Amino acid sequence: MDERVIKFRETADFILSRMDAAPEIGIVLGSGLGTLADSIENQRVIPYAGIPNFANTTAAGHKGNLIAGMLGGKKVLAMQGRFHYYEGYRMEQVTFPIRVMATLGVKTLFVSNAAGGVNPAFRVGDLMVIRDHINLLPNPLIGKNIDEMGARFPDMTRPYDPAMIELVEKIATAQHIELRKGVYLAGTGPTYETPAEYAYFGKMGADAVGMSTTPEVIVARHSNIRVFGMSVITNEAHSFSDTFVNNHKDVIAAADKAAKTMSALFRLMIEQL
Ligand code: HPA
């Protein structure tokens, strides 16, 4: 057996020993979006620091905990804080928790992030359903394929589950929540982009730009987990005044404001899955 699979199992067993039952649904909470964890019932908090084979989060605005419990009547396992490539982690470390979720039997993954809106119609605080992505990070599947998890050449025609997109649109209409829908592009960071780079990404077909998510989605799809993704637009990356600067504090504050609505949508979706 592939040695990596033994590690996934070891970590999965550790997490399972701290839960009541195996999770069906995984959730990755992005920058400033960790508050969804507050609405998880009967929760168990498992700090990353004590989990075998896990790396530690360092980015400001990111907590480093797994939160296990119930949401929308289903067993969930949420990551409060993720591992970013810009922090210096290897792609294997960035995506390790997703492999562990797959090993635990997770069938559905919700991913979220803070992102810059390059679509000129987007405003700070908008929620964007991710319908597709452009991955400009190294592909996390580079290297010997883990045959136990999935195929060497996985299909990426529909990385974001069309039925789940339909479901969120139905819920949002009923709740009078306005949603955007678009393409998420992931770069390495940690710099925010230059105005020329934002414009270039827009021309490539991106609606929003961030520094995460695509590695987790690629690995989830490799493991045949269905994926739903949402970006919170935290800055308008399409029109720059002479005095404008991007900064992390404003990004976190904008994400925090939108977190409640995103959490409500995730819960309603989970109820109906
Ligand atoms: N670029 C990259 N990552 C981001 C941005 C951005 O403009 N905003 C929030 N995360």
Side-chain angles (χ1 to χ4, degrees):
M1 194 190 286
D2 194 305
E3 268 179 34
R4 292 168 290 182
V5 175
I6 295 167
K7 281 201 165 157
F8 303 152
R9 188 73 259 167
E10 182 184 43
T11 305
D13 286 345
F14 174 87
I15 292 166
L16 205 51
S17 75
R18 274 145 185 83
M19 295 183 70
D20 299 326
E24 307 160 56
I25 293 169
I27 306 172
V28 181
L29 299 169
S31 308
L33 299 169
T35 51
L36 179 141
D38 299 341
S39 46
I40 295 175
E41 295 145 36
N42 295 328
Q43 61 171 257
R44 309 270 187 104
V45 179
I46 312 168
Y48 293 166
I51 302 177
N53 307 315
F54 257 50
N56 261 312
T57 45
T58 61
H62 290 266
K63 293 186 181 171
N65 295 309
L66 284 182
I67 317 278
M70 300 295 288
L71 186 69
K74 306 225 165 49
K75 296 178 208 83
V76 302
L77 184 63
M79 292 181 68
Q80 199 175 34
R82 55 151 60 88
F83 303 102
H84 297 88
Y85 187 64
Y86 66 73
E87 294 175 271
Y89 297 117
R90 285 175 286 110
M91 273 301 168
E92 201 178 326
Q93 296 174 295
V94 170
T95 58
F96 186 83
I98 309 300
R99 292 300 194 190
V100 173
M101 284 182 182
T103 306
L104 283 165
V106 163
K107 297 283 184 283
T108 307
L109 180 69
F110 287 74
V111 291
S112 62
N113 58 56
V118 297
N119 183 321
F122 286 10
R123 296 290 172 265
V124 171
D126 282 356
L127 293 173
M128 184 190 89
V129 176
I130 305 176
R131 69 166 178 81
D132 201 349
H133 74 222
I134 298 171
N135 177 47
L136 297 186
L137 289 166
N139 194 301
L141 302 181
I142 289 172
K144 188 177 180 306
N145 186 50
I146 309 174
D147 295 330
E148 291 89 338
M149 308 295 291
R152 170 76 294 187
F153 300 107
D155 175 57
M156 280 288 148
T157 313
R158 283 167 220 86
Y160 301 88
D161 189 69
M164 290 179 77
I165 294 175
E166 238 177 75
L167 175 62
V168 78
E169 287 178 328
K170 199 181 85 188
I171 292 169
T173 303
Q175 302 285 324
H176 307 287
I177 295 168
E178 208 187 315
L179 289 181
R180 307 284 192 173
K181 185 161 67 172
V183 174
Y184 174 85
L185 179 147
T188 65
T191 50
Y192 292 107
E193 289 70 22
T194 66
E197 287 164 345
Y198 283 125
Y200 171 52
F201 291 160
K203 283 190 180 134
M204 284 170 75
D207 296 289
V209 185
M211 310 175 189
S212 67
T213 305
T214 53
E216 292 115 314
V217 172
I218 289 169
V219 164
R221 293 305 302 138
H222 182 248
S223 300
N224 205 28
I225 293 173
R226 68 176 164 171
V227 175
F228 176 80
M230 184 164 275
S231 294
V232 176
I233 304 303
T234 55
N235 49 298
E236 290 167 28
H238 46 72
S239 43
F240 299 95
S241 72
D242 288 346
T243 53
F244 178 82
V245 284
N246 270 317
N247 79 72
H248 186 65
K249 245 173 86 185
D250 292 350
V251 164
I252 297 298
D256 190 50
K257 264 195 185 162
K260 248 178 131 176
T261 310
M262 192 194 78
S263 303
L265 283 170
F266 279 18
R267 173 206 283 273
L268 288 164
M269 288 179 76
I270 290 169
E271 272 174 13
Q272 295 184 41
L273 284 179

